[in-house]
Amino acid sequence: MFPLISKYYKLNSTEKKMFFEAYVTSFYARMLILFCSFKRLEKRLGKKSAQLMSNENQNKELLVLIKRSIIRASKYSFWRNKCFEQSLTAAIMLRKRKIHYVLYLGLAKKNNKLVAHVWMESQGYFLVNKGNTEFTTLSTFYA
């Protein structure tokens, strides 16, 4: 327990704020997934139709910081915090900062079982990685 606290205090103030925001937002995302229908949840993911997204060069360091804070939050959370929760957390955090993103829902077949995965990118940077499996994209959300 104490090593975790010492790791937290070694972070700079920006990283502490982002970690706390990601931690709370990931809990909120998990509650949304548990208690909301997918139809209602779909509104939070973004629009299904592709919009012309501006190629503004947002701060890549901010995207890296958001990704790092989401990974930290998922590591220390006591609730399920996998790809869907992480992507929803990233979507909420990016939308708050008015940064465009693309969220993908996909399926693949592994060992005769269907495997679902959600991944997200913003400006060519993956906030939640696709992984090395070839997924068939079922749905794409833009914001």
Side-chain angles (χ1 to χ4, degrees), residues 7 16 27 36-37 41 49 54 62 70 83 87 90 95 110-111 118 122 125-126 132 134-135 138 142:
K7 281 183 184 180
K16 286 178 187 176
F27 182 75
C36 288
S37 67
L41 192 58
S49 61
S54 60
L62 179 62
I70 290 171
C83 62
S87 294
R95 185 173 279 173
K110 266 188 173 176
N111 301 329
V118 182
S122 178
Y125 181 74
F126 284 94
N132 53 8
E134 195 59 40
F135 289 95
L138 296 177
Y142 302 90

Side-chain angles (χ1 to χ4, degrees), residues 7-136:
K7 281 183 184 180
Y8 178 77
Y9 282 108
K10 287 179 184 176
L11 299 174
N12 65 37
S13 63
T14 307
E15 287 179 321
K16 286 178 187 176
K17 288 178 196 173
M18 290 294 268
F19 168 73
F20 184 73
E21 180 185 352
Y23 194 79
V24 171
T25 307
S26 69
F27 182 75
Y28 175 67
R30 182 63 184 153
M31 293 301 108
L32 283 174
I33 291 169
L34 285 175
F35 299 114
C36 288
S37 67
F38 188 75
K39 196 82 160 164
R40 286 186 68 198
L41 192 58
E42 215 173 13
K43 295 174 187 173
R44 298 214 181 248
L45 298 177
K47 296 186 183 340
K48 280 193 158 194
S49 61
Q51 299 173 341
L52 291 175
M53 296 194 313
S54 60
N55 285 337
E56 300 170 18
N57 273 339
Q58 296 283 340
N59 192 351
K60 291 279 187 185
E61 293 172 5
L62 179 62
L63 295 176
V64 172
L65 184 61
I66 290 172
K67 179 178 182 174
R68 205 174 327 143
S69 64
I70 290 171
I71 291 171
R72 274 190 192 123
S74 67
K75 185 178 178 182
Y76 295 112
S77 61
F78 57 87
W79 54 88
R80 180 186 182 272
N81 201 347
K82 297 204 177 192
C83 62
F84 195 25
E85 290 85 1
Q86 291 175 15
S87 294
L88 187 54
T89 301
I92 293 168
M93 291 176 75
L94 290 175
R95 185 173 279 173
K96 176 182 174 184
R97 289 164 178 79
K98 296 178 177 34
I99 299 175
H100 297 289
Y101 63 85
V102 182
L103 188 136
Y104 303 93
L105 299 172
L107 279 178
K109 200 168 191 178
K110 266 188 173 176
N111 301 329
N112 292 328
K113 291 184 180 180
L114 283 178
V115 178
H117 186 55
V118 182
W119 65 98
M120 162 177 258
E121 72 172 308
S122 178
Q123 303 165 23
Y125 181 74
F126 284 94
L127 283 109
V128 177
N129 292 329
K130 183 177 181 181
N132 53 8
T133 305
E134 195 59 40
F135 289 95
T136 302

